[in-house]
Structures are given as structure tokens and as C-alpha cells.
Amino acid sequence: MYRISAVCTGNICRSPMAQFCLTRAFNDAGLGSRVRVTSAGVTGWEAGRPMDDRTKTELLKHGFPAVEIEPFRAQAFEPEEFSALDLILALDYGHLLELQDRAPSPADRMKIRLLRSFDPAAAGLAPEQLGIEDPWYGDMRDFDSSYALITAAVPGVVQHVAAVLDTASGAGS
């Protein structure tokens, strides 16, 4: 099982969006049984709370069933997750730096990538420019924008993971 976690600040806006978008994309690509996507926050400020209502509204607007998203509860990124994960997707540059600082080993630091680094339209941008701003401080336009930036990166993540899984299964045969 390939394990991914999307990480933002409190795990109530951007990272849940990424979690559900990635899960849908892996299912659509026939990889849902081989990939598990979770999300977390670099802080525990929102731990145990549901996603922001505006996040929920955005996901519902894009056809995510309420029954799938209603049970979601925010959680903090815990140090033991480094060893359990294959890919850690930071939603902004500050999250990237925070996660890199917390990583217990160089191998764990290599697992951390900015989500937008998988968006071909963002190729050539400096890491500092690849963040997705926190929509929590804004209105629905900000949630729409976050969703658009997340979904633009999703195909690249799926392609990357599919290649890793193909290589792993080819190595075992």
C-alpha cells in the first residue's frame, strides 16, 4: 500500500480538499486499492473538528458525496507518520519548511514535496511560489481558487505514484 498525506495548517481547508480529490483520482485511475490518502495539519489547533463549512461546500459543489466527507475530522501530523508514509504533500512553502525541520532523517525529508510541484503549469516556479494560500481568511472565491490549484496538481501526483507502483511491481517480477 502506497501511503500519502496532504498537510496544511489546521487540516480543515486545503489538506482535506487535497485528500478527497486525490482519493477520487486514484479510484478513477484504478489504483484506489493500492493507494491510501490521508491529511493532517502541522498544528493540532483544529484536531477533532470537522472540515470548514466552506471546504465542505466546495467539495459538494464538485460532486463529492456528503456521506464520504461528513465523517472527516481534523488531525495533527504526528512524528511517527514519517516512517509510515511514502509521500507527504505540503500545501504551502511554510508547511514544507516545517515538515522538513521535523523530519527525523534525510530519507524522510525526501518524502516531502509541495503539492503544486506536480502541476505542469507551475513548472519553473521557485518553491516559495508554489504554495496554495490559506482560504480560511477569505471567502468562497478563495476556496474555489484553492480547489482549482489542488486539482491542477492531482493528475501529476497520480502519474508519479502510478510510475512508482509500476516500478515496484516490475522490480518484484
Side-chain angles (χ1 to χ4, degrees), residues 40-63:
V42 292
T43 71
W45 299 339
E46 304 290 348
R49 292 188 175 178
M51 68 180 72
D52 186 285
D53 284 342
R54 295 164 296 176
T55 302
K56 181 179 169 185
T57 298
E58 188 69 24
L59 290 172
L60 291 170
K61 180 172 94 176
H62 293 282

Side-chain angles (χ1 to χ4, degrees), residues 64-106:
F64 290 87
V67 69
E68 285 181 21
I69 62 177
E70 285 290 340
F72 177 87
R73 294 295 177 264
Q75 60 185 1
F77 188 88
E78 300 296 340
E80 59 272 8
E81 291 183 74
F82 281 106
S83 63
L85 293 166
D86 299 294
L87 180 62
I88 302 164
L89 297 170
L91 273 289
D92 73 26
Y93 188 65
H95 304 137
L96 175 77
L97 296 177
E98 177 76 23
L99 290 163
Q100 287 174 335
D101 284 347
R102 292 184 192 181
S105 73

Side-chain angles (χ1 to χ4, degrees), residues 62-152:
H62 293 282
F64 290 87
V67 69
E68 285 181 21
I69 62 177
E70 285 290 340
F72 177 87
R73 294 295 177 264
Q75 60 185 1
F77 188 88
E78 300 296 340
E80 59 272 8
E81 291 183 74
F82 281 106
S83 63
L85 293 166
D86 299 294
L87 180 62
I88 302 164
L89 297 170
L91 273 289
D92 73 26
Y93 188 65
H95 304 137
L96 175 77
L97 296 177
E98 177 76 23
L99 290 163
Q100 287 174 335
D101 284 347
R102 292 184 192 181
S105 73
D108 289 319
R109 268 191 293 288
M110 295 298 294
K111 297 175 184 180
I112 306 164
R113 300 266 309 265
L114 282 158
L115 175 66
R116 285 200 60 221
S117 70
F118 290 95
D119 178 356
L125 293 178
E128 299 85 10
Q129 298 174 300
L130 292 175
I132 298 173
E133 289 188 37
D134 194 345
W136 190 84
Y137 299 99
D139 57 25
M140 280 311 298
R141 288 177 301 213
D142 299 292
F143 283 80
D144 290 340
S145 175
S146 292
Y147 185 87
L149 292 171
I150 288 166
T151 56

